[in-house]
Amino acid sequence: MAPSEKKASLDGGKAATNTSGSINLRHDDAPAFYIDPKVEARLRLKIDFMVVPTVSLLYLFCFIDRANIGNAKIAGFEKDLGLTGYDYNALLSIFYISYIIFEIPSNIACKYFGPGWWLPGISLGFGAISLATAFVDNFAQAAGVRFLLGMFEAGMLPGISYYLSRFYRRSELTFRLALFIVMAPMAGAFGGLLASGILTLDRVGSVTSWRMIFVVEGIITCGLALISFLTLTDRPASARWLTPEEREMAEARVRAERVGQTAVLDHMDKKKLWLGMTSPVTLSTSLIFLLNNVTVQGLAFFAPTIVRTIYPRETLVMQQLYTVPPYVVGGFFTLLLPLISWKIDRRQIFLIASAPLTMVGYIMFLASVNPSVRYGATFLIAASLFCLGPISNGQVSANVVSDTARSSAIGLNVMMGNVGGLISTWSFLPTDAPNYHIGNGLNLATSGGVLIVATLVLFWMNYDNKKRDGRNSEEELAGMTVEEVQDLDWKHPDFRWKP
């Protein structure tokens, strides 16, 4: 976009422009930003094709490398390693301990080093660890590689979410998050297909049985990580595949939505990191994502086990294949609901609407032992679960202002989600088999919690916005420097919560 195509106005009708022609707005600016919708649509589509495919493939194999232990479990993993009692649950928990510890530090490192280097680097790391899992022989070795896997994978979901927030407007972001988070249910579907295909082989090199799953999938992940070093770029300004005019437009359209900010990428400081994590919407949405993830991760790790209890007489390959259809349905709704969210620029109502269908699914699990009813329940649950990944991350991103606050808000949301993942590792206990009343009851309770919290927060957001409408921003900002105004973030009097 040429400079003549940009419009910005202050109260006095003036704009401050730097030598490169980009617009720098002071804290008292009221920008009237305009881009030709057709020009912007072409730019957005270009970004979609250049950014989303790479991060989607990386996240697909991130989730596969995490959840393939569930496929290996029913193919002899437990027996060969001598696991008994709660050993399998403990292995799942060890992964989440490191995942949670490194979640926020990893996202801060992603901002510091740049997503173009950080995301490929940690992908190469967890691909190598997945490959190493094929050669473990006992619980201690398996625990070690699962801890390292959690350490490397911790930065993927928050890192990619933060990375995409550099390229997309608030309303656009949720659907783009869905385009890569849909790989979570697709990993369940594709992982089941891939595992069943791998298990039909006699051997891969010197390894056999379940070990082949880790070898093949680990090698694929490492290959994708090496390619992504060449394809990912830190931000629009460094994107070689954009023209100078497109780079300027890409940054300007994101900057236009950030109240009181003069740059898309601000300098990192502790105050903005803290504001990102302590935003009321960040805290409440993080709790919702925690409750949701108890079910999401439980389904990922235990779906093969649950299917085996429903269809115990089927072959191992067929049991793997039965896990595929519910994930396909889940993937469809993971794209559909965020697409609608993008068009209407709303997210909170989808957090609310996701809960009832999940609750119905777990009521069916608790009320019936009929295989058809229980298998049907997995479709209802999958259809409503996975969409909360993109919608919750889109919501916390939309309700902070600066790039730094966005990185910590997303980091906290995903970290809390993985606290839910840690809880999920103990939701389906061997002593509770085959009907798993404890696990199903827990998931019914968490989905009910999502419904209550999300509804209360929607009422609060509308209430607080009305209070903010009565504030005099000119009086509150009088005498403040540009830096002080930028540090206000969501506390800026002109900021409004975006439900």
Side-chain angles (χ1 to χ4, degrees):
M1 180 180 60
S4 61
E5 293 179 274
K6 295 188 300 244
K7 297 180 182 178
S9 63
L10 309 183
D11 292 338
K14 295 179 289 185
T17 307
N18 64 22
T19 55
S20 67
S22 60
I23 298 171
N24 295 318
L25 299 175
R26 298 192 302 272
H27 71 266
D28 56 347
D29 298 343
F33 184 78
Y34 174 79
I35 300 176
D36 184 329
K38 293 182 179 179
V39 175
E40 185 176 20
R42 288 196 296 269
L43 171 64
R44 187 171 54 236
L45 187 62
K46 191 172 185 179
I47 294 172
D48 288 342
F49 278 108
M50 297 303 296
V51 173
V52 174
T54 298
V55 296
S56 296
L57 284 173
L58 289 178
Y59 190 66
L60 170 66
F61 278 88
C62 170
F63 209 89
I64 285 177
D65 289 347
R66 175 193 319 177
N68 56 12
I69 191 173
N71 300 106
K73 178 176 182 281
I74 67 172
F77 176 82
E78 279 186 305
K79 180 180 178 182
D80 289 352
L81 268 61
L83 304 184
T84 58
Y86 300 116
D87 286 349
Y88 178 74
N89 301 80
L91 284 181
L92 301 184
S93 296
I94 288 167
F95 167 87
Y96 275 107
I97 290 171
S98 59
Y99 204 115
I100 292 166
I101 291 172
F102 291 99
E103 198 85 61
I104 294 177
S106 184
N107 225 35
I108 293 173
C110 185
K111 177 174 174 62
Y112 182 82
F113 292 105
W117 291 99
W118 187 252
L119 295 176
I122 60 177
S123 298
L124 185 61
F126 66 71
I129 296 301
S130 181
L131 181 60
T133 308
F135 302 98
V136 300
D137 293 312
N138 54 54
F139 175 84
Q141 293 174 359
V145 295
R146 290 297 291 183
F147 184 88
L148 291 174
L149 187 69
M151 182 178 71
F152 281 107
E153 288 201 0
M156 284 304 290
L157 176 54
I160 296 174
S161 300
Y162 162 63
Y163 176 53
L164 293 182
S165 74
R166 292 184 168 189
F167 287 88
Y168 293 103
R169 289 181 184 265
R170 180 190 70 238
S171 61
E172 303 164 352
L173 180 61
T174 300
F175 180 62
R176 272 68 192 182
L177 294 177
L179 290 175
F180 89 85
I181 293 177
V182 72
M183 293 302 165
M186 288 301 98
F190 183 64
L193 287 171
L194 187 57
S196 63
I198 292 170
L199 290 172
T200 62
L201 304 174
D202 291 329
R203 61 180 59 246
V204 174
S206 60
V207 301
T208 58
S209 69
W210 58 268
R211 299 179 189 272
M212 298 187 296
I213 296 174
F214 294 105
V215 167
V216 173
E217 294 174 358
I219 290 173
I220 295 173
T221 302
C222 290
L224 289 171
L226 292 173
I227 294 171
S228 68
F229 275 109
L230 303 175
T231 58
L232 290 186
T233 181
D234 273 342
R235 57 192 184 278
S238 62
R240 294 183 297 273
W241 37 269
L242 292 176
T243 66
E245 292 79 11
E246 288 172 333
R247 291 174 200 157
E248 192 173 5
M249 186 202 311
E251 293 219 336
R253 73 194 199 98
V254 174
R255 184 172 59 243
E257 292 188 324
R258 300 189 179 179
V259 175
Q261 302 294 305
T262 60
V264 173
L265 301 185
D266 59 315
H267 294 293
M268 183 161 43
D269 63 70
K270 293 180 181 178
K271 184 172 184 179
K272 289 178 184 175
L273 288 171
W274 181 248
L275 282 170
M277 291 186 287
T278 56
S279 160
V281 173
T282 299
L283 293 172
S284 59
T285 305
S286 296
L287 175 59
I288 291 169
F289 197 39
L290 183 156
L291 296 170
N292 170 255
N293 242 27
V294 172
T295 305
V296 169
Q297 302 299 342
L299 189 65
F301 287 123
F302 294 100
T305 302
I306 293 169
V307 167
R308 185 170 60 179
T309 65
I310 297 174
Y311 299 108
R313 294 186 178 87
E314 295 289 351
T315 65
L316 174 61
V317 171
M318 283 304 300
Q319 288 173 351
Q320 300 277 10
L321 292 176
Y322 269 121
T323 66
V324 174
Y327 282 112
V328 174
V329 172
F332 172 77
F333 282 98
T334 301
L335 291 177
L336 176 64
L337 298 180
L339 177 62
I340 299 171
S341 169
W342 170 27
K343 298 303 181 183
I344 66 175
D345 194 16
R346 291 291 183 274
R347 288 152 297 277
Q348 197 69 23
I349 57 173
F350 293 96
L351 297 179
I352 296 169
S354 69
L357 204 59
T358 306
M359 295 171 69
V360 170
Y362 280 106
I363 290 171
M364 291 169 64
F365 263 118
L366 289 167
S368 177
V369 294
N370 181 284
S372 297
V373 172
R374 293 168 72 83
Y375 188 55
T378 63
F379 285 84
L380 294 179
I381 295 165
S384 55
L385 281 182
F386 293 99
C387 66
L388 262 69
I391 291 172
S392 67
N393 281 292
Q395 184 67 326
V396 298
S397 178
N399 284 283
V400 293
V401 180
S402 68
D403 186 72
T404 297
R406 189 166 283 105
S407 70
S408 61
I410 293 172
L412 179 68
N413 185 58
V414 179
M415 186 198 78
M416 291 293 287
N418 286 297
V419 172
L422 177 60
I423 296 170
S424 77
T425 63
W426 295 94
S427 58
F428 291 92
L429 301 173
T431 54
D432 198 27
N435 294 324
Y436 297 105
H437 293 297
I438 295 173
N440 293 324
L442 173 64
N443 286 302
L444 175 60
T446 57
S447 55
V450 168
L451 179 63
I452 294 169
V453 174
T455 303
L456 291 175
V457 171
L458 177 61
F459 283 116
W460 177 84
M461 293 170 80
N462 291 330
Y463 167 76
D464 198 60
N465 280 343
K466 289 181 181 178
K467 284 181 61 179
R468 287 172 179 255
D469 288 340
R471 295 169 65 177
N472 189 317
S473 61
E474 290 186 5
E475 289 183 2
E476 293 188 39
L477 300 177
M480 297 180 70
T481 65
V482 172
E483 290 74 18
E484 288 173 335
V485 172
Q486 290 177 347
D487 284 344
L488 290 174
D489 206 85
W490 53 268
K491 292 186 177 182
H492 193 291
D494 288 335
F495 177 83
R496 297 294 182 272
W497 303 111
K498 303 164 184 70

